[in-house]
Amino acid sequence: MIKMNRPRINYKTNMQQRKFSEKLFVMETIRDLDEAIDQICEAMSEEEKVDPFAEDLSPYFGILWPAAEALSIFLSENSILVKNKKVLELGCGLGYPSMMATHLGGHVLATDYHPDVEFFFHRNCQHSVLQCDYKRFNWRETEEDIGLFDVVMGSDILYESKHAKEVARGLLRFVKPGGIILLADPGRAYLQNFITAMNELGYSEEFHSISVKEKDIFLFKFLID
């Protein structure tokens, strides 16, 4: 039995289902993002409210975002990319892509930095009858060595204005020689800068467009030239 640390906030939740072939994925999501943010604000002390890192506690992880759905769809249609491969997901949130990769035969490590993600991630694995490793991990800040992976993947992770090349190098340090990076993005402002940085570091990209809820999501597969 996996011990799950309960979230500090008793979020109100909904259940969402997605089905691919015969596999049913069941995800517990935060019911309303604005409502959850209000709950956090009410629970914070005055000292916490002025902490510059307080925004990191915003529960954006608790929504099933279109980019995560697009990445999961792409994996379901390209299972050979993860089958029997060592896979890392950065900023996993609710964990849908990690669960999909696990179902498809990948050896997956899901990671996120938000302190409440672990509870939701393991709950969703239980709801979906899957087992997947999880680690709390801030890939943007730490130099901790977690090993190298055949596939490094992320969805909607280019939302900060950090130097694009720093972000690219941050991703590349987890990839085995000959490995790939999969990135799903809704068209954030920093996307093109990131692609340029990856090209400068020797990676070329394959581009795919995946429609989720009438929104086109950009899916990139980066490979070493």
Side-chain angles (χ1 to χ4, degrees):
M1 175 73 69
I2 295 172
K3 183 179 180 182
M4 298 180 290
N5 296 319
R6 276 201 150 287
R8 175 182 177 185
I9 306 298
N10 185 25
Y11 298 108
K12 295 178 175 63
T13 61
N14 283 335
M15 306 299 287
Q16 295 194 40
Q17 297 183 354
R18 299 292 186 272
K19 189 172 184 179
F20 286 93
S21 295
E22 298 303 313
K23 178 60 182 175
L24 182 66
F25 296 89
V26 181
M27 284 155 286
E28 190 167 351
T29 71
I30 287 176
R31 184 178 72 182
D32 182 270
L33 186 57
D34 290 334
E35 178 183 56
I37 291 173
D38 287 343
Q39 286 181 276
I40 288 179
C41 291
E42 290 173 6
M44 293 174 82
S45 67
E46 291 304 315
E47 183 179 5
E48 288 173 323
K49 288 179 180 178
V50 298
D51 188 322
F53 296 103
E55 188 176 352
D56 291 343
L57 295 176
S58 294
Y60 298 118
F61 73 88
I63 303 300
L64 184 54
W65 296 103
E69 294 207 57
L71 179 54
S72 301
I73 291 169
F74 181 78
L75 293 174
S76 73
E77 296 173 348
N78 298 273
S79 61
I80 193 172
L81 294 179
V82 293
K83 185 175 177 62
N84 297 322
K85 299 292 179 59
K86 192 176 178 185
V87 181
L88 172 68
E89 184 178 10
L90 300 169
C92 69
L94 295 172
Y96 188 20
S98 282
M99 291 191 293
M100 178 64 79
T102 298
H103 170 64
L104 296 172
H107 308 293
V108 182
L109 175 63
T111 67
D112 202 294
Y113 186 64
H114 195 290
D116 293 341
V117 165
E118 182 176 12
F119 176 81
F120 277 84
F121 178 78
H122 285 309
R123 288 269 287 187
N124 289 336
C125 286
Q126 289 181 354
H127 294 324
S128 302
V129 197
L130 290 165
Q131 288 189 337
C132 180
D133 291 334
Y134 175 85
K135 178 180 177 63
R136 188 181 180 201
F137 184 70
N138 186 350
W139 65 276
R140 294 173 181 271
E141 303 295 338
T142 185
E143 294 298 322
E144 181 182 352
D145 182 9
I146 59 172
L148 298 176
F149 298 80
D150 301 296
V151 180
V152 175
M153 62 183 187
S155 59
D156 206 355
I157 59 175
L158 302 177
Y159 49 81
E160 291 183 2
S161 58
K162 271 197 166 186
H163 193 286
K165 191 164 282 190
E166 291 179 14
V167 176
R169 288 196 183 105
L171 289 171
L172 293 180
R173 69 188 178 95
F174 303 114
V175 183
K176 287 182 179 180
I180 64 172
I181 290 175
L182 298 176
L183 181 74
D185 190 274
R188 296 284 183 187
Y190 311 114
L191 176 59
Q192 185 55 57
N193 290 342
F194 175 77
I195 295 170
T196 300
M198 289 292 288
N199 294 158
E200 291 174 353
L201 290 168
Y203 277 74
S204 60
E205 73 277 1
E206 294 179 4
F207 168 73
H208 304 264
S209 180
I210 298 174
S211 181
V212 177
K213 298 175 183 174
E214 300 183 350
K215 180 176 179 60
D216 289 333
I217 303 298
F218 305 112
L219 193 295
F220 294 92
K221 175 184 173 185
F222 291 97
L223 310 97
I224 191 71
D225 279 340

